[in-house]
Amino acid sequence: MMDHQEVQELLPAYADQELGIVETLEIERHLESCADCQREYAAQRIVSARFKKDASYFEAPAHLTQRIMDALPQDEPGTRFWQRSWSFNWRNAGAALAAMLALAWSVGLYLNLPSDQDKLTDEVVASHVRSLQVDHLSDVVSTDQHTVKPWFNGKLNFSPPVVDLAAQGFPLTGGRLDYLGGRPVAALVYRHAQHPINLYVWPTTERDVAPQLQNRQGYHLVRWTWDGMNYWAVSDLAARDLEQFGGMVRSMVRQ
Amino acid sequence: MPHLNSAFNLACWLTHNHQDAEDVVQEAYLRAFRFFDGFHGEDGRAWLLTIVRNTFYSWYQERQKLRQETAFDEQLHQAGAGDSVGQMPPDNNPEALLISKDSERQLQQALQALPLEFREVMVMRELEELSYKQIAGIVGIPIGTVMSRLGRGRKLLAAILAPDTAPQER
Ligand SMILES: [Zn+2]
């Protein structure tokens, strides 16, 4: 049996009809005799209805489609797919492209099986996004590797290699303690031309693995394993730039 | 272009500015095309809105940084952006465009005052009618957090709209 507090917490989901049948019935029963919850439920419904009614829905202006079409580069990997498969000049076939893309998106042509590696990839991307949005990129803000490295002492049971790549155009801007796959990891924050890069480092017992490039949700990732450490770099940088970054980290770590 | 209205609507609500929203949406679609191989799911709209949101936060982060570095001139920026859009009022604020009724104006203003983390889930729920599960996937938070953000967001909104009669925030 749900108590008053539990019902209060579930009222938004109840108002949105997002609960299962059992919880819904329990809440209905509680509402019959609790004026407090009735008021709260009504308030949720009223604000929700008012939002739907009065908040503006901004429809895309007519020129935006053309603007996006014009901005699409011709030699990107994503467009190669279309050229290869249908071998037509897709720049002159914007409508057809959009229609096919809509179809592919709705049907989900690219079904891959999720794996542990996939889940970790999702976690790395989520962590990167989180670090961008809460203004919480760095716990220790410093461009000096000799400040960032000792900051991790006592916070982690390993010592992440911290390399300085400012001369190569990838200045270190700070470090952060983060969690991936349920374990604490070091997150080193670099920048390249205003684009933040998160480099996650944690120890592993697995053997060395050569760098692999992936993309997920609009971000590139490069990961590798070397000398008992896992490295994952993630950024919205172009693949080439991020691979270059990974290459420089590897060469510096080996010195 | 698939899901363009949803993408633009969300971007407008995040950026508060048509011109910036167009930039964010364009960048998001370029990313979507570039990263299309990485899409393996059935929910294209949720996938695209995830990219729009991620693109927005990258853009936001860069802009914050620019502001700090160069004492960003807001007025100059907005005047410049307004020039390229024929019908835009001087402050280039999308909210100002559509306000005809008092009730609408009140709500738009109240929403502006709402923190981003509440505003985005409310727009996804009330305007895009996404499920809690879809929103959880897009924002990268548990479903329970979606629920509590919606609940708290509505309370905050009620409090801003009618400070005397609104239920108290716990
Ligand atoms: Zn109650």
Side-chain angles (χ1 to χ4, degrees), chain A residues 4-5 8-10 12-13 15-16 18 36 40 43-44 47-48 50-61 63-65 67-69 71-73 76-79 81-82 97-98 101-102 104-108 110-112 118 129 131-133 135 137 191 194-196 215-220 236, chain B residues 1-6 8-9 12-13 18-19 22-23 25-26 29-42 44 47-48 50-51 53-54 57-58 61-62 64-65 69 94-95 98 103-104 106-108 111 122-123 125-129 131-133 147 150-151 154-155 157-158 161 167 170:
Chain A
H4 172 74
Q5 189 54 43
Q8 283 270 318
E9 279 163 18
L10 287 175
D16 285 330
E18 282 266 345
D36 216 22
E40 176 57 33
Q44 288 281 323
V47 177
S48 173
R50 175 136 186 227
F51 196 120
K52 284 186 170 72
K53 181 172 141 295
D54 282 342
S56 311
Y57 192 100
F58 300 103
E59 294 206 355
H63 63 259
L64 190 53
T65 298
R67 194 186 142 179
I68 293 168
M69 284 295 177
L72 281 170
E76 286 289 324
T79 60
F81 165 77
W82 302 104
L97 171 66
L101 197 49
W105 269 343
S106 61
V107 181
Y110 290 85
L111 285 172
N112 287 346
D118 258 353
V129 172
S131 77
L132 296 179
Q133 64 188 255
D135 260 334
L137 207 51
R191 254 178 212 284
Q194 302 299 343
H195 297 270
N215 68 67
R216 184 68 57 97
Q217 291 176 16
Y219 293 97
H220 280 119
D236 61 345
Chain B
M1 200 62 69
H3 313 302
L4 191 61
N5 279 339
S6 293
F8 186 70
N9 183 46
C12 273
W13 277 103
H18 271 164
Q19 196 61 43
E22 281 192 28
D23 292 347
V25 167
Q26 175 179 326
Y29 272 82
L30 297 194
R31 282 193 198 187
F33 279 100
R34 205 183 317 146
F35 292 97
F36 189 58
D37 296 345
F39 172 59
H40 33 235
E42 293 181 6
W47 180 69
L48 189 72
T50 309
I51 295 180
R53 186 178 173 276
N54 291 348
Y57 278 108
S58 302
Q61 183 89 19
E62 278 172 38
Q64 297 286 92
K65 189 148 194 306
E69 279 174 358
E95 273 83 348
L98 294 171
S103 169
E104 284 182 20
Q106 273 181 5
L107 185 84
Q108 300 289 131
L111 282 168
M122 293 176 86
V123 167
R125 176 68 202 180
E126 316 289 18
L127 297 183
E128 296 298 337
E129 295 180 344
S131 70
Y132 282 19
K133 195 176 163 202
M147 177 182 70
L150 277 169
R154 287 173 186 153
K155 282 191 190 191
L157 198 56
L161 286 167
R170 282 170 183 275

Side-chain angles (χ1 to χ4, degrees), chain B residues 28-165:
Chain B
Y29 272 82
L30 297 194
R31 282 193 198 187
F33 279 100
R34 205 183 317 146
F35 292 97
F36 189 58
D37 296 345
F39 172 59
H40 33 235
E42 293 181 6
D43 195 345
R45 185 167 64 129
W47 180 69
L48 189 72
L49 290 181
T50 309
I51 295 180
V52 169
R53 186 178 173 276
N54 291 348
T55 305
F56 164 75
Y57 278 108
S58 302
W59 172 88
Y60 187 72
Q61 183 89 19
E62 278 172 38
R63 211 179 60 151
Q64 297 286 92
K65 189 148 194 306
L66 271 178
R67 275 215 176 113
Q68 284 161 13
E69 279 174 358
T70 62
F72 194 68
D73 188 333
E74 181 72 10
Q75 280 180 322
L76 194 69
H77 170 76
Q78 296 205 333
D83 291 341
S84 51
V85 184
Q87 303 296 315
M88 287 280 176
D91 71 345
N92 193 28
N93 179 342
E95 273 83 348
L97 289 175
L98 294 171
I99 288 158
S100 48
K101 285 174 260 157
D102 217 39
S103 169
E104 284 182 20
R105 184 172 61 238
Q106 273 181 5
L107 185 84
Q108 300 289 131
Q109 283 172 348
L111 282 168
Q112 275 187 325
L114 216 59
L116 210 47
E117 58 177 4
F118 296 111
R119 200 163 63 223
E120 65 178 5
V121 292
M122 293 176 86
V123 167
M124 288 181 211
R125 176 68 202 180
E126 316 289 18
L127 297 183
E128 296 298 337
E129 295 180 344
L130 294 163
S131 70
Y132 282 19
K133 195 176 163 202
Q134 286 173 310
I135 297 171
I138 293 169
V139 181
I141 53 176
I143 289 178
T145 311
V146 174
M147 177 182 70
S148 61
R149 276 195 198 169
L150 277 169
R152 288 190 58 210
R154 287 173 186 153
K155 282 191 190 191
L156 280 170
L157 198 56
I160 298 168
L161 286 167
D164 303 327
T165 55

Side-chain angles (χ1 to χ4, degrees), chain A residues 19-255:
Chain A
L19 292 177
I21 186 82
V22 176
E23 287 160 315
T24 302
L25 290 173
E26 280 211 50
I27 287 175
E28 276 173 6
R29 201 179 318 150
H30 177 90
L31 277 174
E32 282 170 17
S33 59
C34 180
D36 216 22
C37 283
Q38 282 170 15
R39 249 191 319 273
E40 176 57 33
Y41 169 61
Q44 288 281 323
R45 292 290 301 260
I46 289 165
V47 177
S48 173
R50 175 136 186 227
F51 196 120
K52 284 186 170 72
K53 181 172 141 295
D54 282 342
S56 311
Y57 192 100
F58 300 103
E59 294 206 355
H63 63 259
L64 190 53
T65 298
Q66 192 55 49
R67 194 186 142 179
I68 293 168
M69 284 295 177
D70 291 345
L72 281 170
Q74 254 180 325
D75 55 348
E76 286 289 324
T79 60
R80 241 182 276 136
F81 165 77
W82 302 104
Q83 291 168 335
R84 195 175 56 231
S85 310
W86 279 277
S87 57
F88 68 95
N89 185 352
W90 57 271
R91 275 179 88 85
N92 295 330
L97 171 66
M100 281 190 293
L101 197 49
L103 183 69
W105 269 343
S106 61
V107 181
L109 286 177
Y110 290 85
L111 285 172
N112 287 346
L113 291 174
S115 64
D116 286 353
Q117 206 65 269
D118 258 353
K119 267 190 272 176
L120 190 56
T121 306
D122 286 337
E123 263 194 73
V124 168
V125 170
S127 164
H128 178 70
V129 172
R130 210 162 43 236
S131 77
L132 296 179
Q133 64 188 255
V134 289
D135 260 334
H136 190 243
L137 207 51
S138 304
D139 287 329
V140 53
V141 178
S142 172
T143 55
D144 181 2
Q145 55 175 319
H146 304 295
T147 307
V148 174
K149 192 174 169 69
W151 181 84
F152 285 108
N153 288 345
K155 298 184 177 70
L156 293 168
N157 59 0
F158 64 95
S159 182
V162 180
V163 297
D164 184 8
L165 298 170
Q168 290 87 342
F170 294 89
L172 177 69
T173 63
R176 189 177 79 246
L177 194 64
D178 218 313
Y179 291 87
L180 291 174
R183 72 179 89 66
V185 304
L188 302 169
V189 189
Y190 291 83
R191 254 178 212 284
H192 182 66
Q194 302 299 343
H195 297 270
I197 306 167
N198 268 296
L199 176 65
Y200 298 95
V201 186
W202 70 93
T204 178
T205 52
E206 283 161 35
R207 61 188 168 73
D208 293 354
V209 179
Q212 283 178 277
L213 177 73
Q214 261 186 294
N215 68 67
R216 184 68 57 97
Q217 291 176 16
Y219 293 97
H220 280 119
L221 302 97
V222 175
R223 66 165 197 262
W224 69 94
T225 305
W226 192 74
D227 196 22
M229 288 280 179
N230 276 324
Y231 297 82
W232 286 63
V234 55
S235 175
D236 61 345
L237 277 179
R240 201 177 38 237
D241 291 338
L242 193 65
E243 285 182 313
Q244 195 197 358
F245 169 76
M248 286 187 297
V249 173
R250 285 196 303 283
S251 66
M252 295 289 279
V253 166
R254 279 158 213 227
Q255 277 174 12

